[in-house]
Amino acid sequence: MADQEEDFSSLPLPDRFAHKNWKVRKEGYEDAAKAFGATPNESDPIFRPFILDSGLWKGAVADSNVAAQQEGINALCAFLKFGGAQACTRSRNATVSPIVEKGLSSTRAATKQSSLEALLLYIELDRSDPIIEDLLPSLANKQPKIIAATLAALTAIIHAYGVKIVDPKPVLKSLPKAFGHADKNVRAEASNLAAELYRWLREAMKTLFWNELKPVQQQDLEKLFESIKQEPPPKQKRLLRSQQVAIASSTAVEDEVPEAEDEKDGEQPAEVEAFDLAEPVDVLDKVPKDLYENLASSKWKDRKEALDAFYAVANVDRIKDGAFDEIIQGLAKCIAKDANIAVVMVAANCVDVLAKGLRKGFTKYRGRIMGPIMERLKEKKQAVADALGQALDSVFGSTGLTDCLEDILEFLKHKNPQVKLETLKFLIRCLKTTREAPSKPETKSIADAATRLLTESSEVTRSGAAEALGTLMKIMGERAMGPYLEGLDEIRKAKINEYFHTAQVRAKDKPKPVAQPPKSAPPPQKRMVKKGPAGVKKPAASVSTPQEEAPPPQPKPMTSRNIPSKVGGPKTGLATPGTGLKMSKKLTGPGGVAAPNIASPRRNITPPAFEEDTFPVPKLGRGLAGRPLAKPTPTPSETPAPAAPPGMASAERAELEELRADKDRLQRTAEDLRSERSRLTSQIHELQHQNAQLIEDHTRDVLSIKAKETQLVRARSDAEAAEETVYKQQREIDRLKRELSRTIRANSPAPQDSRDHIYRDTNVNGNVHHPGVDRYNRSTSESRDVGNERARSYRSSPSEEKENSGVVDGTQRKKINTENTAGVPPPMSREVSGVRGREGVAEVVATGEPVESWKRAAEVTSQLKARIEQMKAKQGLSRPH
């Protein structure tokens, strides 16, 4: 037994791996694991036989003895961990399948854990695709436990590395078959795998397998997904070996490494889209043949139906790249020139699905379609604006901010306010969704364009410009945006800061690497240390700059040199500036150069470099050159640089402090002036805005006043015209009254002699009866009534006169014609005939002038008729017979 044990330990490890005795194999596995862990690097000779013969690992992983198998898998894990990428690639093809069949389905928990660790190490050392390809065939195994173990391994792999490392598409395609398995353990592991995939992919995963599931299975998964929606986005738990090397090599400062990793991890949970998982679809083969013919039709219904048919074909998750030039040209024409907005909306939807389906392949069409879409933003209907905006967002998603920025800035200057506003909204959406921060020139152009829009008359446009600046500040940082906001007033700055705090962006702030310059700060300090002991006159530079005052070794040479100096004795003579001036004129070289440094201490930086190389003769004059040439000043109240060299005179030190104080005062003054200037500039802008508003209000008031004055003038002219009309009517009424009175006087009874001579009739009572006078009185009263009617007609309106003229004429005609009825003679003739009848023939015979009396009566009658006609003519009552 002892001989056999010695023989076993003396055998090479490959021979012990292939030994018939399971104990020998088990001990060989254990010794191999220890030997692998003790190697210095991956190129150790112990790895070579196991790399060349991968069959050794196949037997170790699939060992018939469960105890030996466990140690064999542990040895494989050590081999992979210390053997590197070559150990992984050479042994992978021989070990993955046995691990799945024998290791993952083992009854021992330690064996299962070691098998899973081996699979994770294979992915860590190389990549995941070969491992997934070897695992998926096991899902068709006849044994349910192997299928369930494989699904559990896939769940653990995706949980450790995430979908960025492991391609989820082949796994998703195999899920429906697992959900249809008869074994409940397989279905349970399939549900766990689907839940893990949902943590990473969310709703995008449903595009590949969801329709193949039964409704009951879909409902169960939806209930499972509801709890996952509340969880935070997952992160990669385990890094690849390549990622570990990259992180280790990029760590210049150890403290900054975790922060960089955290930032990377923060980017990884980005939601995977359906485009990344879908298979490309050849849309060009499915395009209707009459598409271009119908797009050129004069009927809008034909154009809309053609676009609807193309939309149904192109509405897929991923489109295979092809020649879409003619289709893009037709869509651009419909968007730019079609008068029917329904056609425009469908064309915009087609552009939307094309851009989403092609992604990077749509970049070459951006220049032809983006301009017409932005030009059509002038439509005021919100539905059209939404469709065009969605198309623009998809175009931006397929290209980038740099590609679209030129067109955006151009349309921000558009004369149409609606186009300008919608373009500004599109810019804000681009800044919020872009993953790459704009460059400095792009930042300047965006900030300048938005700043110009802050002075627009529309409140919506001004708010949009402030939101654009706040979003840009969120990306670039407050410090980078400070120069662009310097001239703005406090109200606008407050609004921009409000949008800055509420904005949510995806882009990173690239100016953060500016923190690297402090790393290069130590080299200047080293130079200062070297210059300090090099020459005696090194402290001269320390007088001028605070950096050179800091090193403590500098005062020591100065004290050792200044003690034996001649200046130490006559130090009291420094109070006389004349002597110092004469001595400085006599000295040459570095001593003479030091004199002007009193007036300009900053220039003391340069002389030390020359003083080190010059001969040491002027060293005696260093104290004389350091004497103050200006008037002596009292000691400063505060000395901000206590490390000043002790060899400097008190007057020189005081003047230096005074100059520093003057410099600080000037800097504060300049800062105050700059702040005052920015405040005044903002006030100027505000006053200009108020002035423009006041001018507009004044113009509006002036126009209103002029309109009121015009109305007032018109009212006055109408009132004057009405007064004149009333005055004329009053005069006409007075005239008619006078005329009526004259008419009445004129129609008074005729002279007594004529009437007595012609119309005398004596009745039995002795009274004289005049029938003609009675009739005349009746006619006079009728004339008076006619005059009153005429006066009333003047008071009535012309329309009333016209409407009532027929009635007046009818009544007058009736009154006049009642006396002239058929068979009745005129009044005078009746009177004459009555006289003749009453007086009889006796009177005619008595007078002897019957013919003359008749003639005279006829003349009087004709005169009366003529007078009546004249009266009627004067009153305007004459009518044609």
Side-chain angles (χ1 to χ4, degrees), residues 29 111 137 143 189 210 243 292 304 372-373 431 444 587 627 652 672 758 782 864:
Y29 300 151
T111 304
Q143 300 182 23
E189 292 296 337
W210 194 256
Q243 292 176 330
Y292 307 109
K304 184 176 182 299
I373 294 177
L431 292 174
K444 184 178 184 303
L587 294 175
R627 293 179 181 180
E652 186 177 0
D672 294 341
I758 300 172
E782 290 174 1
L864 287 174

Side-chain angles (χ1 to χ4, degrees), residues 451-596:
T451 305
R452 286 194 300 269
L453 294 177
L454 287 174
T455 58
E456 285 288 324
S457 58
S458 175
E459 173 62 25
V460 181
T461 306
R462 294 197 300 270
S463 299
E467 185 176 1
L469 288 172
T471 308
L472 185 61
M473 186 189 295
K474 191 76 171 182
I475 298 174
M476 305 305 297
E478 297 183 62
R479 182 177 181 182
M481 289 295 294
Y484 307 113
L485 308 180
E486 186 175 353
L488 301 179
D489 56 88
E490 296 300 327
I491 298 177
R492 292 193 176 101
K493 284 184 180 179
K495 191 144 193 176
I496 293 171
N497 288 328
E498 180 181 352
Y499 285 113
F500 163 71
H501 292 299
T502 58
Q504 295 181 357
V505 297
R506 298 183 181 178
K508 273 189 166 184
D509 189 8
K510 287 187 178 179
K512 287 183 180 178
V514 177
Q516 294 178 357
K519 298 177 183 178
S520 60
Q525 294 179 357
K526 292 179 182 178
R527 293 176 186 174
M528 291 168 58
V529 173
K530 291 178 181 178
K531 290 182 181 179
V536 182
K537 294 190 178 181
K538 178 65 179 176
S542 65
V543 177
S544 60
T545 60
Q547 294 179 354
E548 296 177 356
E549 293 173 3
Q554 294 178 359
K556 295 178 180 179
M558 289 296 296
T559 53
S560 62
R561 185 197 67 161
N562 288 332
I563 290 173
S565 178
K566 295 180 181 180
V567 184
K571 208 164 189 179
T572 55
L574 292 174
T576 58
T579 56
L581 181 60
K582 292 178 182 179
M583 292 298 295
S584 64
K585 288 181 180 179
K586 293 177 181 179
L587 294 175
T588 58
V593 178

Side-chain angles (χ1 to χ4, degrees), residues 358-387:
L358 290 173
R359 292 295 174 92
K360 296 301 179 184
F362 193 81
T363 306
K364 53 188 175 183
Y365 309 118
R366 183 203 61 81
R368 284 188 261 175
I369 196 67
M370 192 169 178
I373 294 177
M374 299 184 75
E375 187 67 36
R376 199 59 191 261
L377 289 173
K378 60 187 177 182
E379 294 290 341
K380 295 184 178 180
K381 288 195 174 181
Q382 191 61 36
V384 182
D386 293 342

Side-chain angles (χ1 to χ4, degrees), residues 15 87 210 386 394 505 528 557-558 596 611 613 621 682 705 873:
D15 295 342
W210 194 256
D386 293 342
S394 301
V505 297
M528 291 168 58
M558 289 296 296
E611 291 171 359
D613 299 333
S682 62
I705 291 172

Side-chain angles (χ1 to χ4, degrees), residues 814-832:
K814 288 179 182 180
K815 290 180 181 180
I816 295 172
N817 293 334
T818 51
E819 297 178 357
N820 296 329
T821 56
V824 180
M828 192 56 66
S829 62
R830 288 200 307 268
E831 185 178 344
V832 173

